[in-house]
Amino acid sequence: MRDPLDDRELTPPPSFSEARSTRQKARAAGLDPDRWYAVEYDREIKNGEVKEVQFWNLSIALYRGDDGVLAAVQNRCPHRHLKLTHGAVDKCQLRCAYHGWSFNRDGWLTDYSHDSFGKPLIKSRLRTFPVEVRYGLIWVFPGDSDLASVEKIPEIPELMSDNPWAGFTVDYTWKTHHSMVIDNICDFAHAFLHRKYQPFVDAKLTHYESDDEKVYLTYDTYMAEGKFSKYFVNRKRVNTRSIEICYEYPYQWSNTGDSIKHWCFLLPIDERTTRVFFIFYFDSVKIPLIPFNAPKWLTQMVLNASVPLLFKPLLAEDGVALEAEQIGYESHWNAPPIELNPIVPLLQKLTVQKWQQYVERNTAPEKSASVTEPVAEAV
Ligand code: FES
Ligand SMILES: [Fe+2]
């Protein structure tokens, strides 16, 4: 018999198709694979190395050949279905660990010459994924490759010019659903969580609007009020009393006074795991007691020092809260939510709409390819 004090739900949260409310649907939705996703730092995969990355349970082998060129292929050998990431890069090909079948960047099986059954080379091809490098990150297009040239990696002009802004990238892998991350980084009602660092204080939502692609909002707030950070912002030059935020599906960005900006790129690993890449960039910072703005090199030095002291621990606070929220949701997914910020339902609605559209596109009779079923053809 069930303990009468145990108020947890008896069943796990509903799937996307079973869910009844927008919030439940958002918590079960994936992110549209027909977009570009940051999956790893460029520097993390050296020549001759292979690494597994995962997009919504789809395992991808990402490797770099001896010539420095990256490739992303289905991480499953068609022979006995081992992950190819158990294998090794051989010049510019990926060789399976078990019987040594070798696949080129286009996914074609090119060699199993060590086998001596006298059979001709079978025709077999791994699914491949478009790969790009931008902003120091490797981007993969996990969906329909034909759409990879239609959908774009977000443009960040401040980082693409000959004289880019100073900045840094930090990342986290949190045990939380990606929709909770979006709620968190767009909803400034959680200043209490950050009472130690005070990145925003007394935020008031002043404007919001949404359409089929984005949710845009502004807050009036006191930005960068922390004990440490407040000395590094030139308030005469930079308006730190308001911030613009946008969930530009499936990405998110903010802008404070056209001087402090960030993008957030989510990698939905599975239903309860999300890797989050934040790129922050600043046109300049102020150095205490010095009357002018810091030059670029000094700005970068100050930022480098502030990453471990301020940004990483600050964002880690969000991770602690989000992982706790995930556990809370799994235990109480059917309890009625109390939501005060009107943008949160809009964020969830956009996530749900986009996933619904993706599911419908891919369950149409003429289209049978699935994100969880990589294509391998053997003749
Ligand atoms: S399982 Fe990969 S070569 Fe046999
Ligand atoms: Fe936060």
Side-chain angles (χ1 to χ4, degrees):
M1 208 174 89
R2 189 172 159 90
D3 180 343
L5 289 176
D6 187 350
D7 67 348
R8 292 171 301 174
E9 296 294 334
L10 289 169
T11 56
S15 67
F16 186 76
S17 58
E18 294 162 351
R20 293 195 300 273
S21 71
T22 301
R23 181 185 65 134
Q24 289 171 357
K25 278 191 173 297
R27 300 295 185 241
L31 287 175
D32 187 348
D34 292 333
R35 305 292 176 120
W36 287 94
Y37 290 88
V39 297
E40 188 49 272
Y41 294 100
D42 187 32
R43 63 171 186 266
E44 285 297 315
I45 302 187
K46 312 257 185 320
N47 287 11
E49 286 185 353
V50 60
K51 185 162 191 178
E52 178 181 15
V53 296
Q54 193 170 299
F55 178 89
W56 204 242
N57 296 307
L58 170 65
S59 181
I60 296 171
L62 188 60
Y63 75 94
R64 196 187 297 272
D66 286 352
D67 58 358
V69 178
L70 285 163
V73 299
Q74 152 196 331
N75 193 14
R76 177 163 62 84
C77 177
H79 185 207
R80 300 275 173 84
H81 308 289
L82 271 73
K83 286 186 173 176
L84 287 165
T85 42
H86 294 303
V89 178
D90 180 359
K91 300 189 178 68
C92 297
Q93 307 214 357
L94 187 55
R95 206 176 266 287
C96 179
Y98 198 177
H99 308 87
W101 289 17
S102 186
F103 302 87
N104 69 16
R105 274 192 196 104
D106 294 327
W108 285 107
L109 174 62
T110 57
D111 173 42
Y112 52 86
S113 53
H114 56 288
D115 278 335
S116 54
F117 301 112
K119 295 203 173 144
L121 190 70
I122 56 169
K123 188 170 168 239
S124 179
R125 190 179 191 184
L126 307 172
R127 184 176 171 191
T128 60
F129 305 91
V131 192
E132 295 277 344
V133 174
R134 188 88 60 88
Y135 317 127
L137 297 170
I138 299 170
W139 297 72
V140 167
F141 198 90
D144 178 351
S145 302
D146 291 345
L147 297 173
S149 56
V150 179
E151 299 293 339
K152 305 286 182 215
I153 297 170
E155 300 270 315
I156 310 180
E158 296 86 349
L159 300 184
M160 295 166 79
S161 76
D162 293 339
N163 186 23
W165 288 17
F168 59 88
T169 304
V170 290
D171 79 290
Y172 301 82
T173 300
W174 286 328
K175 287 276 165 208
T176 190
H177 188 271
H178 57 83
S179 67
M180 291 188 192
V181 180
I182 289 295
D183 289 358
N184 165 269
I185 54 185
C186 294
D187 171 26
F188 274 22
H190 69 280
F192 181 76
L193 177 70
H194 300 307
R195 58 199 176 279
K196 180 171 170 196
Y197 298 101
Q198 301 186 44
F200 48 85
V201 172
D202 202 13
K204 297 197 172 42
L205 186 67
T206 45
H207 173 79
Y208 61 95
E209 60 190 64
S210 65
D211 60 25
D212 290 344
E213 299 300 324
K214 65 181 181 305
V215 179
Y216 172 86
L217 54 141
T218 59
Y219 291 103
D220 274 355
T221 180
Y222 294 90
M223 295 294 294
E225 284 293 317
K227 284 188 218 71
F228 176 76
S229 57
K230 68 180 176 188
Y231 296 110
F232 291 89
V233 176
N234 185 345
R235 288 172 209 282
K236 287 200 187 100
R237 195 175 66 83
V238 181
N239 175 13
T240 54
R241 291 294 306 279
S242 69
I243 183 169
E244 302 177 88
I245 295 175
C246 193
Y247 176 29
E248 194 172 313
Y249 186 93
Y251 318 115
Q252 189 260 7
W253 56 260
S254 79
N255 173 15
T256 303
D258 290 327
S259 185
I260 305 169
K261 300 188 178 188
H262 96 268
W263 277 88
C264 173
F265 303 120
L266 303 174
L267 174 64
I269 292 173
D270 61 29
E271 294 82 350
R272 60 193 318 275
T273 317
T274 307
R275 191 168 183 189
V276 192
F277 294 93
F278 292 98
I279 301 183
F280 286 89
Y281 46 109
F282 299 69
D283 71 342
S284 179
V285 295
K286 187 180 177 313
I287 305 296
L289 307 177
I290 296 180
F292 50 82
N293 275 303
K296 185 74 58 71
W297 62 269
L298 191 52
T299 301
Q300 189 63 58
M301 271 182 63
V302 170
L303 290 178
N304 292 348
S306 68
V307 169
L309 292 172
L310 173 65
F311 289 95
K312 280 221 108 175
L314 163 63
L315 289 163
E317 293 178 332
D318 291 303
V320 171
L322 286 168
E323 293 189 351
E325 182 180 5
Q326 178 71 34
I327 292 167
Y329 178 69
E330 287 171 6
S331 301
H332 304 287
W333 53 267
N334 208 22
I338 300 175
E339 188 50 68
L340 304 178
N341 191 334
I343 60 133
V344 172
L346 296 177
L347 303 168
Q348 295 173 358
K349 189 170 150 219
L350 180 55
T351 297
V352 170
Q353 272 177 356
K354 289 294 188 188
W355 186 245
Q356 183 73 43
Q357 287 164 7
Y358 167 72
V359 170
E360 283 168 9
R361 279 202 310 279
N362 286 274
T363 47
E366 69 276 15
K367 197 120 187 216
S368 57
S370 154
V371 67
T372 53
E373 275 302 316
V375 176
E377 43 175 85
V379 180

